[in-house]
């Protein structure tokens, strides 16, 4: 079971296969060429995650720790917070989460205050500035409401996390939608990262 893995100089943590989206481009069901198949036969416990993180930290240096995996990390948000508290005790490394931004829908409350002090960066996959287009590609279980919720999540989160970033993938959306995404990010007071397709 692969709980942690290395990408460039970052230590990635894989905690769940579950996700509230079913994106057309998702590789979690079949793995990819870079990392093989990270599908977990079961979800690791908090103790198992901490043990694996400690092992990985003892083996080499990193520049960042990232909660990502192939599922949606916020499905296990409060377990992840427990792991973050441990990391803060044993390491000075910055901590990032890559998320679909639907945590407030998943937990049926505003979870953003609970991020305070635990994350340095949260990257929210915007994918599209349009709710209908987002839903047509990401197929959230929450329908088009997911898009409005991720915007609200990012906007609220910036009060508790120093660096909140929207991400879109170049070539997967039209140039005018990248411009609209930049305007949206500016309006909400977060950054926009236009990343290349892996
Ligand atoms: S949000 Fe991420 S994990 Fe979830 S289906 Fe989309 S690409 Fe896969």
């Amino acid at each position: 079971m692969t709980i942690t893995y290395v990408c460039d100089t970052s230590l990635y943590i894989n905690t769940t296969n579950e996700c509230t989206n079913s994106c057309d481009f998702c590789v979690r069901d079949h793995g990819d060429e870079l990392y093989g198949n990270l599908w977990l036969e079961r979800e690791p416990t908090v103790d198992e995650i901490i043990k694996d993180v400690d092992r990985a930290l003892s083996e080499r240096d990193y520049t960042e720790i990232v909660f990502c995996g192939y599922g949606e990390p916020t499905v296990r948000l409060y377990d992840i917070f427990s792991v973050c508290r441990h990391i803060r005790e044993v390491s000075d490394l910055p901590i990032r989460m890559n998320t679909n931004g639907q945590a407030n829908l998943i937990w049926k409350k505003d979870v953003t205050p609970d991020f305070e002090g635990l994350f340095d960066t949260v990257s929210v996959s915007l994918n599209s500035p349009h709710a209908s287009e987002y839903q047509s590609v990401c197929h959230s279980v929450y329908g088009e409401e997911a898009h409005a919720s991720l915007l609200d999540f990012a906007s609220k989160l910036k009060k508790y996390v120093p660096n909140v970033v929207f991400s879109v993938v170049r070539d997967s959306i039209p140039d005018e939608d990248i411009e609209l995404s930049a305007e949206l990010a500016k309006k909400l007071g977060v950054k926009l990262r236009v990343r290349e397709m892996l």
Side-chain angles (χ1 to χ4, degrees):
M1 178 159 70
T2 303
I3 302 173
T4 61
Y5 57 103
V6 180
C7 176
D8 295 327
T9 57
S10 300
L11 178 65
Y12 277 65
I13 306 178
N14 179 31
T15 60
T16 184
N17 302 322
E18 299 301 315
C19 186
T20 50
N21 279 357
S22 183
C23 300
D24 290 342
F25 50 81
C26 187
V27 296
R28 71 194 155 118
D29 289 346
H30 48 79
D32 65 13
E33 289 172 4
L34 275 180
Y35 306 112
N37 195 337
L38 295 174
W39 188 265
L40 297 160
E41 61 261 27
R42 64 174 173 80
E43 289 190 346
T45 65
V46 168
D47 284 348
E48 286 173 322
I49 299 168
I50 287 175
K51 203 170 165 190
D52 207 51
V53 167
D54 284 346
R55 177 199 54 75
L57 289 175
S58 73
E59 288 178 355
R60 52 164 285 178
D61 292 332
Y62 304 93
T63 54
E64 188 180 32
I65 294 179
V66 185
F67 287 87
C68 179
Y70 276 175
E72 166 51 36
T74 60
V75 168
R76 296 194 63 189
L77 192 60
Y78 289 87
D79 287 343
I80 284 174
F81 287 159
S82 297
V83 178
C84 283
R85 283 188 199 96
H86 172 77
I87 294 170
R88 290 294 199 215
E89 282 175 11
V90 300
S91 166
D92 292 331
L93 287 170
I95 307 176
R96 167 163 58 104
M97 176 188 282
N98 294 345
T99 175
N100 67 17
Q102 295 171 25
N104 287 348
L105 289 171
I106 293 168
W107 291 91
K108 300 182 175 61
K109 63 174 184 172
D110 178 15
V111 299
T112 58
D114 299 335
F115 279 75
E116 189 161 28
L118 297 178
F119 280 88
D120 300 280
T121 298
V122 173
S123 176
V124 179
S125 299
L126 179 63
N127 292 316
S128 170
H130 311 292
S132 57
E133 184 61 25
Y134 177 92
Q135 183 60 10
S136 74
V137 172
C138 298
H139 313 286
S140 171
V141 297
Y142 302 111
E144 289 190 16
E145 187 190 351
H147 193 263
S149 184
L150 76 84
L151 299 183
D152 184 58
F153 172 78
S155 175
K156 287 181 170 139
L157 192 62
K158 67 180 191 285
K159 189 171 168 192
Y160 306 104
V161 172
N163 195 28
V164 179
V165 184
F166 280 148
S167 72
V168 294
V169 178
R170 194 186 304 284
D171 297 333
S172 72
I173 61 173
D175 287 349
E176 58 265 31
D177 280 356
I178 291 181
E179 282 171 32
L180 284 174
S181 298
E183 286 171 20
L184 196 49
K186 190 174 174 191
K187 186 173 141 200
L188 296 178
V190 304
K191 295 174 188 162
L192 177 72
R193 177 172 169 246
V194 183
R195 65 178 180 84
E196 305 300 323
M197 186 84 76
L198 287 176

